[in-house]
Amino acid sequence: MMAQTLLQPLDQRFIQSGISWEQFKLIEQGFSDSPGTRLFYYKGEVEILAVSPEHEFFSRTICTLLAIYCAENEIEFLPTGSFTQEKEGVVSAQADESYFIGRRITPNSPPDLCIEVIFTSGNVKKLQRYRVLGVSEVWFWEDGVLAMYRLGSEDYEKIYSSVVLPDLDINLLCRCLLMASSVEAMREFRRSISG
């Protein structure tokens, strides 16, 4: 699939306020067999996001490039995709991609990195959810730009290089994500990081 030939993104987003945690869990059950649908909950607000093929293309391409980067640099990592992260009664989120870097999963521990592909709005609210969950670093890919945030003592701060993957060339990653061919993107990315 070529990035240039993708159609206009067709992500669909629905938000409803005034929903209890118990109601959310019932809604979640109703969507359990709906691939491509992400559900979020925070402070009584439910967001249902049906993602487009274009959304999944960028999500999977980021995942592929990060796997290449970690393998080439012998960084142990555990990609956990869009698994549901929760604090019961407060928040539930499904990142497009999530990672544990250099460590194993421990019970109730948040991932080190969550990545969101954004074709609709919602960055600030998403950061609030991830803050409650305790995710160290959150990246947003939107309109060809990667915005990165690091959790400080109280809130997220914008950063310009990753702390969890400190030697990753962010400009190279973005350039490869925008290439017309996914094969060329992987080839260029691998060639550039191999030196």
Side-chain angles (χ1 to χ4, degrees), residues 113-130:
L113 172 63
C114 285
I115 301 172
E116 294 276 354
V117 174
I118 306 292
F119 283 127
T120 58
S121 61
N123 294 7
V124 173
K125 285 187 179 180
K126 290 180 185 284
L127 279 176
Q128 292 169 351
R129 295 173 192 152
Y130 289 120

Side-chain angles (χ1 to χ4, degrees), residues 10-12 35-38 49-56 96:
L10 299 173
D11 285 2
Q12 295 181 5
T37 302
R38 309 259 200 293
L49 179 66
V51 297
S52 64
E54 292 79 10
H55 184 120
E56 294 295 81
D96 290 309

Side-chain angles (χ1 to χ4, degrees), residues 167-181:
D167 296 324
L168 177 63
D169 183 339
I170 299 302
N171 292 327
L172 171 66
L173 178 67
C174 292
R175 189 173 74 243
C176 290
L177 284 168
L178 294 172
M179 294 180 112
S181 162

Side-chain angles (χ1 to χ4, degrees), residues 12-16 19 21 24 27-28 37-51 55 82-86 90-96 115-118 120-122 125-126 129-130 133:
Q12 295 181 5
R13 186 172 173 234
F14 173 79
I15 297 175
Q16 180 66 48
I19 304 295
W21 181 257
F24 169 70
I27 293 168
E28 190 176 54
T37 302
R38 309 259 200 293
L39 277 78
F40 305 90
Y41 179 88
Y42 182 61
K43 291 189 174 179
E45 182 177 273
V46 172
E47 177 183 352
I48 301 169
L49 179 66
V51 297
H55 184 120
S82 60
F83 87 100
T84 301
Q85 305 166 54
E86 286 186 338
V90 180
V91 65
S92 179
Q94 294 175 306
D96 290 309
I115 301 172
E116 294 276 354
V117 174
I118 306 292
T120 58
S121 61
K125 285 187 179 180
K126 290 180 185 284
R129 295 173 192 152
Y130 289 120
L133 292 165

Side-chain angles (χ1 to χ4, degrees), residues 134-147:
V135 176
S136 300
E137 203 164 291
V138 180
W139 298 358
F140 295 108
W141 174 258
E142 183 175 15
D143 295 329
V145 176
L146 189 65

